[in-house]
Amino acid sequence: MTIVALIVIGAAAGFLATRLMRIEADIPTTMFIGIIGALIGGFVLRVLVSVMGILSGFVGAVIGALLVIWIWKTYFRKH
């Protein structure tokens, strides 16, 4: 997956993940969460990408972004 595709998919995944987890984040944070999530999800779900194509890459990116948000909310966000 190219870097540009990773950024675009990551930004979309970050947007979707922040909405699913019901958190308010600014645009750069949302993009950062999505891109990191895309890296994590892409690494973990690499086998699915080879079997199912780009849709599984998006699913992996969303799952990765959800994981990043959960870690952020659990360990780094002050209540």
Side-chain angles (χ1 to χ4, degrees), residues 60-71:
V62 170
I63 291 170
L66 289 171
L67 178 64
V68 169
I69 290 172
W70 178 79
I71 291 170

Side-chain angles (χ1 to χ4, degrees), residues 8-21 33-42 45 54-70:
V8 171
I9 290 172
F15 174 77
L16 183 59
T18 55
R19 297 309 172 256
L20 289 172
M21 297 293 285
I33 288 170
I35 292 168
I36 297 300
L39 289 172
I40 292 170
L45 299 175
I54 194 138
L55 179 60
S56 62
F58 180 71
V59 171
V62 170
I63 291 170
L66 289 171
L67 178 64
V68 169
I69 290 172
W70 178 79

Side-chain angles (χ1 to χ4, degrees), residues 1-76:
M1 189 175 289
T2 66
I3 298 296
V4 175
L6 181 65
I7 291 171
V8 171
I9 290 172
F15 174 77
L16 183 59
T18 55
R19 297 309 172 256
L20 289 172
M21 297 293 285
R22 293 187 177 113
I23 66 164
E24 293 295 324
D26 57 3
I27 293 172
T29 303
T30 300
M31 290 179 66
F32 178 75
I33 288 170
I35 292 168
I36 297 300
L39 289 172
I40 292 170
F43 177 73
V44 171
L45 299 175
R46 186 174 298 227
V47 173
L48 284 178
V49 172
S50 66
V51 174
M52 295 177 59
I54 194 138
L55 179 60
S56 62
F58 180 71
V59 171
V62 170
I63 291 170
L66 289 171
L67 178 64
V68 169
I69 290 172
W70 178 79
I71 291 170
W72 179 45
K73 284 176 70 174
T74 303
Y75 297 107
F76 298 108

